[in-house]
Structure formats: C-alpha cells, structure tokens
C-alpha cells in the first residue's frame, strides 16, 4: 500500500462482506421455501426474503465498488484521497440507508417495483451518499494522474449515478414504467457496470502481471467499447413482450447476441495478460480470482444470457427459471467475483502483511464457485422443463412447479455449498493471518512459460 | 489482437461509438414511449381505478412472488394475463368475481403448497387491483405469453 488513504477501503470491504453474508442467509431461506413450501410461512413470507436477498446484493455490490475505487484511486491518480472523512461519512449514510431499507422490508415498508423497492427517502439518501462518493473520488482524479483505468472507472460510476435517476420516475402506464425501469436495471448491469468491471480487472492485471500499461489500457477501451456498442441496443431484449414495437425483436436479437463479445474479450484479455506477464506476484489467490471472474462472467452473463436472448427463444423462456439461472451466475461471475478478487488482492496490503491464508481463500473460491455453477445447472434444468410443460404444453403453473421439486432441493444443496465457501473466504479475509503459499505454485505463476 | 490500433484510436472509437449507439437507443426509446402511449396500451382506459390498482400492486410488493409480463420473482403465477385465464374476455363479471374470491380465500393452508398471504383489501382497492390486471391484459404485447397458462 503506497498511499495512506487507501486504507479508507477497509471499512467499505467490511460492511460489504457483512451484507454479503446476510444476502447469502436470505438466499438460503428463500431456497428452503422453494424446497419446503411451508417453511416459515407465518414468520416471514417469501416476498420479504426475496426482496431482502436482491436488495442486499445491490447495496453490497455498490459499497464494494466504492471500496475498490477508494483503494485503486490513490495508486492510479498518484495522490491521496481528497477527503477520507467524507468517505467515512458517505459510507455511514449509505450503510444506514441500506440497513433502514432492510429493516423496513421486514415490516412491509417499501415501494413496489422490483429491485427499486427502497422507500423514497432511502433512495434520496443513497443518491446523496453516492454523489458525495463521486465528488470525493472525482476530486482525487481531477488533481491527479489520469489513466485509462481511472477514467473508465469514473465514467462507469458517474453513468451509473445518472441512470439511477430513472428510479425516481414511476409512470402510471405499466408499459412505460417497464420501459424506463430497464434504463436503470439493464443499463447498470449490462451497460455501465461493465465499465467498472473491465477497469477493475485491468487494474488487477497491471498490478499482478506487470504487463505494459499501454497494452492493457488499449484492451480496456476495446472491451468497454464492445460492452456499450452491444449493450445499449441490447436493452431491447427486455422490450420484446412489454407493449413495445416489434422491431425490437430482430434488432435486439442481433445486438444482445453481440453482448457476449465483451465478456469473451475479457476472458481472452485476462488469460493473455496472465501468460504474457513477467511478474511473479506472490498473491496467487488474487490471480485466481482475476482469471475466474471473467471466465464465470463469460458463462453466466455471456453464454447463459445468449441462451435465451433470441426473441423466438425468449418467447418461450421469458420469466421462467431459465432467467433465474442466468441471473444468479451472471451476477456472481461478473460482479461478486470481481469485488472478492479486489478484496483478496488488497487485504494483505491494507493489513500490511504478506499474502496470507491463500490456500483457504482458494478453497473458498472453488467451493463457492462450484456451488454457484451447480445452482445454475439445477435452475437451468428446472427452467427447460418448466418452459416445455407450461409454455409449450400449456400446463398450469402450480402443477408445473410440483414437477420441479427435485431441482429445487438440489438448488438448496448447492446454496449450502455456497454458504460454506463464503464462510471460508470470510475467515481467510478477516481471520488470523497465516502465511500460506500454495504448494506447486509454478503452475499458477504468471509468465514463467510453464504452461 | 488489434496490433495496428493505437490506444488513443481505441479510446476515440469507444467514446464516439458509445455516443452514437446511445443516441440511436434514446431515439428508439422515445419512439417506443410514443408507441406505448398511443398504440399498444389503452391510454383512455387508464382510469383512476387502474392507477389505484397499480398502487395496491406496488404497496403489497406482489412482484416479489408473482411476475407481470414475465418480470418479477417467478415464485408464483404470471399475472399479466390472469384476466384472460379467468375467462375475462368472454365473461368479465365472472372473471372479476373469480379473482376477488381467490384473493379473499388466501391463505389456502394446503399442506405442501406455496402459501399466498392474506391481504385485507377494501372493496375499492380490490376493484382497482382487478381493473389494473384487466388493463394490463389489454396491452398489445406481441401475443406473449404463448399459452394462457402464463
């Protein structure tokens, strides 16, 4: 850690991981209801578990992005964070808003649009906190060195804030409501968040492989270009069946197919830089995450997205468990793994020790990632069966769900594996630091040509 | 990849191309907005009762179990076409009574079946909610879903 204020990131990472833990807990509860429908019906109905699960994800990812940005910015801008106190204050506001929303949900206090359920005043607090964050980091950037990494990162964060404003617009006409709702939801996760993802990944690769910045930053522009060229018009794959004109079907079938390209480019990018690199970075666990993140994102967001994005396929699969399968692996690969990777990279430096608990961290990686993949497979099988029975044969929804019980039980099992993996990882991050270097490390040593 | 491309060229392509695609997207969105208001939805029929129904829908967070036009939680049946499923196209009165009775009967308490909570709607709220579901069923959505089962 070259700059003292990089340690601002630590409380962000801690809050993010606490909320991540809660997200997994609510996910387990909801998965249990799928398998055993009478579970907790009188205590906590399903919709409360579900809103808690999704909102915790969104809030902790945003806090994670902030932590990553505070960690990265001093090194990239070559100066200290503009105001560490402002950072702590905006974290407190954001965490308070998130916690208030979560507690409110348990008592039925919320607005009613999916993912945007936060009460109005919580939305306002989130906006204020995020603007404070943007001011703080932008001032640091403004006075410091400008690189492609920190410029693309800040562009992604600013655009995320701009598109968030559509969350305040809720027209009476349901079709119009949905039209602009996607301006937040899609333009975040399949648009500007990819800028954040690619730049953080680029940062990790520069640091760990030692490949020339010029090369990495050129790749970065190509990747984020592919992301926005495909992702903006790709939004239309959500406009097929909500009362929009029919031209979205051919148009967005093409453009959302192209949405695979930036994810594929990120895989090629990460692995190419890994093999080209000359630096033998001691943090093998962070390297594993930096390679795993684009790989799982490619399958979860890219392949699983493509699987049901063509309009004539989506006509049958829209709103089934196929969507749930895609959603889980896409978020996990693209954003969860990204933040966990940055934390894995940053924590030893923040704690001022050599990379530690690496073997346990990698166990966490494999257990959690395997669990998420298995979960995705079970939901995909459930979705295919559901699509056929309900959308082709026209069977009643509830009867179809009874046919899917086995898949839901297996999904619960995979969820437990994810929880175990998450537990290992959290212990590796925050537990006592033991120097663990993986045996036979040459296979994962960048650039030694030992492939 | 792209050895002939310089970093500044890649940057310019990114900014220029993104702006171009954003403008195209914003233009098509504006047209879609116009199309929804004037062609595919019943703007005349968007009464205060339908509006109340949308508020009831949102206040009770129905979206976190049900889906509407395919979007939502996938835990409970699709409701964008529930009006059709209850035979509302042929017999609106019976459909209205049927949906009303179904909601009032919750929770069913059938062992091993997913439970919908009880909701204590006033008659006005219940009517609004059903008006909202009827109005939503009337949206021209390219004949989705493929089957009335939802």
């Amino acid at each position: 850690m070259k700059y003292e204020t990089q340690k601002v990131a630590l409380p962000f990472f801690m809050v993010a991981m606490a909320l991540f833990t809660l997200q997994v807990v609510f996910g387990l509860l909801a998965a249990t209801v799928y398998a055993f429908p009478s579970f907790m019906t009188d205590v906590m109905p399903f919709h409360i578990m579900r809103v808690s699960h999704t909102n915790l994800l969104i809030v902790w990812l945003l806090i994670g992005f902030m932590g990553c940005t505070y960690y990265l910015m001093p090194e990239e801008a070559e100066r200290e964070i503009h105001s560490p106190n402002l950072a702590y204050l905006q974290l407190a506001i954001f965490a308070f808003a998130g916690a208030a929303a979560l507690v409110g949900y348990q008592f039925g206090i919320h607005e009613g649009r999916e993912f945007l359920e936060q009460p109005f005043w919580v939305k306002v607090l989130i906006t204020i906190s995020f603007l404070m964050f943007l001011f703080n980091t932008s001032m640091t950037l403004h006075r410091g060195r400008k690189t492609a990494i920190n410029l693309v990162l800040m562009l992604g964060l600013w655009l995320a804030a701009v598109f968030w404003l559509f969350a305040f617009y809720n027209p009476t006409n349901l079709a119009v409501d949905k039209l602009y709702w996607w301006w937040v939801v899609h333009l975040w996760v399949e648009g500007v968040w990819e800028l954040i993802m690619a730049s953080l990944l680029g940062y990790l690769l520069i640091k760990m492989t030692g490949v020339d910045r010029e090369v990495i930053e050129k790749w970065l522009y190509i990747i984020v270009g592919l992301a926005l060229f495909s992702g903006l018009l790709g939004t239309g794959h959500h406009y097929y069946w909500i009362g929009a004109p029919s031209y979205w079907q051919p148009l967005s079938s093409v453009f959302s197919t192209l949405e695979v390209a930036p994810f594929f480019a990120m895989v090629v990018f990460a692995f190419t830089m890994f093999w080209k690199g000359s630096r033998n970075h001691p943090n093998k666990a962070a390297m594993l995450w930096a390679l795993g993140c684009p790989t799982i994102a490619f399958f979860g967001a890219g392949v699983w997205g493509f699987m049901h994005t063509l309009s004539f396929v989506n006509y049958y699969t829209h709103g089934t468990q196929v969507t749930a399968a895609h959603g889980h692996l896409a978020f996990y690969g693209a954003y969860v793994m990204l933040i966990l990777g940055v934390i894995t990279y940053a924590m030893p430096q923040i704690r001022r020790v050599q990379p530690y608990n690496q073997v346990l961290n990698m166990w966490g990686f494999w257990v959690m990632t395997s669990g998420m993949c298995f979960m995705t497979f079970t939901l995909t099988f459930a979705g295919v069966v559901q699509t056929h029975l309900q959308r082709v044969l026209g069977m009643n929804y509830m009867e179809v769900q009874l046919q899917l019980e086995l898949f839901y039980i297996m999904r619960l099992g995979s969820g437990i594996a994810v929880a175990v993996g998450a537990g290992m990882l959290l212990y590796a991050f925050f537990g006592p630091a033991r120097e663990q270097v993986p045996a036979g490390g040459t296979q994962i040593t960048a650039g030694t040509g030992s492939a | 990849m792209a050895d002939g491309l310089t970093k500044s060229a890649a940057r310019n392509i990114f900014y220029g191309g993104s702006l171009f695609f954003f403008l195209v997207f914003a233009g098509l969105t504006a047209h879609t907005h116009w199309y929804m208001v004037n062609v595919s939805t019943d703007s005349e029929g968007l009464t205060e009762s339908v509006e109340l129904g949308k508020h009831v829908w949102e206040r009770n967070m129905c979206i976190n179990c049900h889906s509407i036009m395919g979007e939502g939680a996938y835990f409970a049946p699709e409701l964008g076409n529930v009006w059709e499923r209850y035979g509302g196209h042929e017999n609106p009165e019976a459909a209205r009574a049927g949906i009303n009775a179904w909601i009032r009967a919750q929770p069913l308490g059938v062992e091993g079946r997913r439970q919908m909570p009880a909701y204590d709607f006033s008659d006005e709220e219940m009517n609004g909610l059903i008006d909202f579901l009827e109005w939503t069923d009337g949206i021209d959505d390219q004949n989705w879903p493929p089957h009335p089962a939802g």
Side-chain angles (χ1 to χ4, degrees):
Chain A
M1 202 171 70
K2 278 193 203 149
Y3 294 86
E4 198 49 35
T5 51
Q6 285 182 281
K7 72 174 192 307
V8 166
L10 181 60
F12 284 81
F13 292 155
M14 292 168 87
V15 173
M17 290 300 95
L19 299 180
F20 171 51
T21 308
L22 279 175
Q23 187 217 342
V24 174
V25 170
F26 279 102
L28 282 175
L29 293 179
T32 308
V33 178
Y34 262 102
F36 308 103
S38 305
F39 178 70
M40 283 178 78
T41 39
D42 299 327
V43 191
M44 189 190 289
F46 177 84
H47 63 282
I48 302 297
M49 299 172 183
R50 206 259 184 179
V51 69
S52 306
H53 179 63
T54 55
N55 275 248
L56 279 161
L57 170 70
I58 299 165
V59 170
W60 90 253
L61 288 181
L62 288 171
I63 293 178
F65 286 155
M66 292 176 188
C68 295
T69 307
Y70 280 125
Y71 186 80
L72 166 157
M73 189 55 82
E75 278 182 20
E76 285 294 301
E78 296 184 331
R79 59 178 296 122
E80 300 286 355
I81 292 292
H82 175 68
S83 166
N85 286 335
L86 188 64
Y88 296 132
L89 177 64
Q90 61 99 175
L91 172 64
I93 294 173
F94 207 98
F96 170 76
L102 181 68
V103 172
Y105 294 157
Q106 316 308 316
F107 299 97
I109 302 165
H110 50 72
E111 294 188 356
R113 293 195 298 162
E114 195 185 7
F115 310 136
L116 306 181
E117 294 93 344
Q118 312 81 30
F120 175 76
W121 64 272
V122 170
K123 286 195 178 82
V124 172
L125 282 184
I126 287 175
T127 311
I128 291 171
S129 167
F130 206 81
L131 288 175
M132 288 163 74
F133 160 74
L134 287 173
F135 170 78
N136 205 2
T137 46
S138 299
M139 284 303 284
T140 313
L141 172 65
H142 174 66
R143 301 214 177 117
R145 178 176 67 146
K146 287 149 194 79
T147 68
I149 300 275
N150 59 18
L151 284 173
V152 170
L153 176 64
M154 289 312 298
L155 180 67
L157 292 163
W158 271 103
L159 289 174
V162 169
F163 291 121
W164 161 252
L165 297 178
F166 285 91
F168 290 94
Y169 177 53
N170 183 8
T172 312
N173 185 318
L174 181 69
V176 179
D177 169 358
K178 285 172 177 287
L179 178 68
Y180 293 104
W181 182 81
W182 284 114
W183 273 59
V184 187
V185 178
H186 175 97
L187 291 184
W188 271 21
V189 301
E190 293 174 66
V192 297
W193 280 23
E194 285 182 45
L195 272 54
I196 300 170
M197 177 189 174
S199 54
L200 289 176
L201 204 56
Y203 167 76
L204 288 180
L205 291 170
I206 285 183
K207 293 291 164 183
M208 286 193 290
T209 66
V211 171
D212 186 38
R213 178 179 284 275
E214 281 297 306
V215 178
I216 290 200
E217 293 193 333
K218 185 168 79 176
W219 271 85
L220 176 62
Y221 280 122
I222 293 171
I223 289 167
V224 293
L226 288 173
L228 291 191
F229 299 173
S230 62
L232 286 166
L233 288 174
T235 314
H237 60 212
H238 305 291
Y239 293 166
Y240 295 157
W241 327 116
I242 63 165
S246 58
Y247 56 68
W248 287 108
Q249 292 177 41
L251 182 71
S252 296
S253 289
V254 172
F255 276 90
S256 62
T257 298
L258 295 174
E259 280 188 46
V260 183
F263 288 105
F264 184 68
M266 274 191 264
V267 177
V268 178
F269 172 53
F271 279 87
T272 309
M273 296 307 121
F274 175 63
W275 293 120
K276 275 174 96 162
S278 55
R279 191 173 293 168
N280 182 6
H281 198 277
N283 198 333
K284 312 297 180 202
M287 196 70 235
L288 180 63
W289 286 101
L291 295 174
C293 161
T295 307
I296 299 297
F298 167 68
F299 283 104
V303 177
W304 255 255
F306 171 68
M307 199 162 72
H308 60 142
T309 202
L310 298 172
S311 63
F312 49 88
V313 175
N314 191 260
Y315 185 64
Y316 293 98
T317 59
H318 179 51
T320 63
Q321 295 298 322
V322 172
T323 318
H326 160 62
H328 279 85
L329 200 62
F331 265 102
Y332 177 73
Y335 303 120
V336 173
M337 292 182 81
L338 175 72
I339 293 173
L340 296 178
V342 175
I343 296 178
T344 299
Y345 172 77
M347 278 304 283
Q349 307 190 41
I350 291 174
R351 289 175 69 168
R352 297 190 185 286
V353 291
Q354 286 297 309
Y356 58 93
N357 301 350
Q358 291 206 55
V359 174
L360 184 63
N361 181 306
M362 292 195 212
W363 270 102
F365 172 99
W366 286 111
V367 172
M368 199 167 26
T369 304
S370 309
M372 287 307 299
C373 289
F374 193 81
M375 183 186 299
T376 303
F377 301 146
T378 60
L379 290 177
T380 306
F381 291 132
V384 172
V385 173
Q386 182 189 7
T387 299
H388 187 73
L389 293 181
Q390 188 182 321
R391 295 285 166 70
V392 180
L393 300 183
M395 254 172 85
N396 170 283
Y397 175 92
M398 293 303 283
E399 282 173 37
V400 173
Q401 291 298 313
L402 287 176
Q403 303 293 317
L404 307 179
E405 205 176 17
L406 178 65
F407 299 115
Y408 292 140
I409 291 172
M410 291 197 289
R411 190 266 292 269
L412 176 58
S414 61
I416 292 169
V418 171
V420 170
M424 292 168 134
L425 194 65
L426 290 175
Y427 189 81
F429 287 156
F430 300 112
R434 288 195 201 89
E435 194 173 328
Q436 286 182 316
V437 179
T442 45
Q443 287 89 339
I444 49 166
T445 299
T448 52
S450 58
Chain B
M1 188 169 90
D3 280 336
L5 189 71
T6 64
K7 188 174 103 181
S8 63
R11 184 191 60 211
N12 294 342
I13 292 170
F14 163 63
Y15 282 115
S18 297
L19 186 64
F20 170 77
F21 281 107
F22 178 76
L23 292 175
V24 173
F25 175 60
L28 289 177
T29 300
H31 173 257
T32 300
H33 187 147
W34 175 88
Y35 180 89
M36 285 171 162
V37 171
N38 294 294
V39 182
S40 65
T41 71
D42 177 15
S43 290
E44 302 269 297
L46 193 52
T47 60
E48 276 178 22
S49 180
V50 174
E51 186 173 354
L52 170 69
K54 187 165 184 272
H55 289 155
V56 172
W57 169 266
E58 290 171 356
R59 263 205 309 274
N60 294 283
M61 215 154 63
C62 309
I63 195 87
N64 271 306
C65 287
H66 292 278
S67 57
I68 192 161
M69 305 180 90
E71 290 157 10
Y74 332 122
F75 180 73
E78 162 68 31
L79 295 184
N81 69 336
V82 69
W83 183 251
E84 177 191 9
R85 205 152 57 237
Y86 271 75
H89 295 181
E90 296 80 33
N91 191 343
E93 287 311 310
R96 184 165 290 271
I99 295 172
N100 186 337
W102 179 257
I103 296 174
R104 298 273 188 223
Q106 306 301 326
L108 296 181
V110 178
E111 192 54 39
R113 190 184 196 277
R114 296 177 190 173
Q115 294 294 321
M116 174 166 154
Y119 289 98
D120 188 21
F121 299 143
S122 70
D123 288 343
E124 193 188 2
E125 287 170 332
M126 181 68 84
N127 265 325
L129 182 60
I130 298 173
D131 285 341
F132 169 67
L133 293 172
E134 179 185 359
W135 184 88
T136 302
D137 181 66
I139 297 175
D140 174 12
D141 59 1
Q142 314 289 334
N143 293 320
W144 192 89
H147 196 283

